[in-house]
Amino acid sequence: ELKVEQNPLFLSMQEGKNYTIYCNYSTTSDRLYWYRQDPGKSLESLFVLLSNGAVKQEGRLMASLDTKARLSTLHITAAVHDLSATYFCAVDKANFGNEKLTFGTGTRLTIIP
Amino acid sequence: DGGITQSPKYLFRKEGQNVTLSCEQNLNHDAMYWYRQDPGQGLRLIYYSQIVNDFQKGDIAEGYSVSREKKESFPLTVTSAQKNPTAFYLCASSKGDGELGYGYTFGSGTRLTVV
């Protein structure tokens, strides 16, 4: 059974600081996704990582994938309050055809002014 | 604009009732999914469908049923056999072809409460 673990589960950080969220998964996969969820809202796609060594950046967020270590990281640079949300990673366990994602437990990020 | 529409946004269920949550997409996506989210938790897969008239159980299918009679629609019924249905339900669709990594598009969710 595929397991996806995120840490930390809760993260409170000051504006302007840098931090990293980690996503470990238990089985081979080359496809990993990051989503953002605001309270009471749906999930919004942030990044799609499709190969070992993939790195994607959008604003103050950067995601990377190491398939050998079965690890993805979401790095936050110079955090601002607008980044407060819950962040989920998800791993595609389908070997072919339609995607079938297994989600991590999420990391609730709170940026303190 | 294309997207996924879930309705209703809020739903209240009495003990012993069956209720149906609607999910419609106009993205021409082949695959559709239902996830359940409990407070402070991640998403757990209930059912998924890759083509019309076919669907598979996810990790927590007991007490739920689905149908896929049309490509656009994937309704979820929460039956009276589901003993703890209070949760946030999310529908998603996918263009398919994991090789290209399209990922999911999510609906806005239905919050179900047992009263």
Side-chain angles (χ1 to χ4, degrees):
Chain A
E1 179 189 349
L2 172 60
K3 295 192 180 202
V4 182
E5 295 182 343
Q6 288 181 237
N7 70 83
L9 298 183
F10 300 93
L11 177 56
S12 182
M13 54 190 291
Q14 287 186 316
E15 279 190 328
K17 299 291 186 182
N18 303 336
Y19 209 81
T20 301
I21 298 170
Y22 297 89
C23 174
N24 290 91
Y25 54 97
S26 62
T27 193
T28 303
S29 175
D30 291 333
R31 294 185 288 279
L32 189 135
Y33 305 79
W34 284 96
Y35 290 87
R36 169 185 171 141
Q37 185 179 36
D38 291 302
K41 304 292 187 183
S42 188
L43 274 73
E44 171 192 354
S45 178
L46 292 175
F47 299 110
V48 179
L49 303 168
L50 297 180
S51 61
N52 186 40
V55 177
K56 295 276 184 76
Q57 182 163 5
E58 180 74 33
R60 300 175 188 274
L61 299 178
M62 183 174 71
S64 65
L65 177 62
D66 181 344
T67 58
K68 291 186 169 63
R70 298 178 186 171
L71 170 69
S72 179
T73 60
L74 180 66
H75 187 72
I76 302 143
T77 301
V80 293
H81 181 68
D82 286 352
L83 291 178
S84 295
T86 298
Y87 293 86
F88 291 94
C89 64
V91 176
D92 182 7
K93 60 182 176 181
N95 292 322
F96 57 90
N98 296 116
E99 292 141 325
K100 186 180 171 191
L101 302 187
T102 297
F103 285 80
T105 49
T107 296
R108 185 177 297 179
L109 175 63
T110 303
I111 309 296
I112 304 166
Chain B
D1 286 338
I4 299 183
T5 302
Q6 287 187 243
S7 63
K9 189 170 182 179
Y10 299 96
L11 184 58
F12 297 91
R13 190 193 95 165
K14 293 182 180 178
E15 296 279 354
Q17 263 187 344
N18 292 354
V19 291
T20 297
L21 284 60
S22 171
C23 178
E24 305 273 337
Q25 54 99 359
N26 60 1
L27 299 164
N28 199 33
H29 284 176
D30 290 317
M32 297 186 74
Y33 311 81
W34 275 105
Y35 283 86
R36 169 180 171 143
Q37 186 178 31
D38 292 286
Q41 304 291 317
L43 281 69
R44 292 184 291 168
L45 181 63
I46 304 172
Y47 269 99
Y48 65 102
S49 168
Q50 296 181 329
I51 57 172
V52 174
N53 292 322
D54 188 43
F55 48 83
Q56 285 79 40
K57 292 182 179 179
D59 301 317
I60 55 165
E62 185 174 350
Y64 299 97
S65 65
V66 294
S67 63
R68 187 89 186 274
E69 297 176 2
K70 299 186 299 181
K71 187 175 185 177
E72 302 81 14
S73 179
F74 191 40
L76 173 74
T77 296
V78 184
T79 74
S80 57
Q82 172 49 243
K83 297 306 177 189
N84 184 22
T86 295
F88 189 48
Y89 290 86
L90 285 160
C91 178
S93 70
S94 169
K95 191 170 181 177
D97 195 342
E99 292 295 324
L100 298 178
Y102 291 108
Y104 290 176
T105 300
F106 280 90
S108 56
T110 293
R111 194 166 299 277
L112 174 63
T113 303
V114 174
V115 296

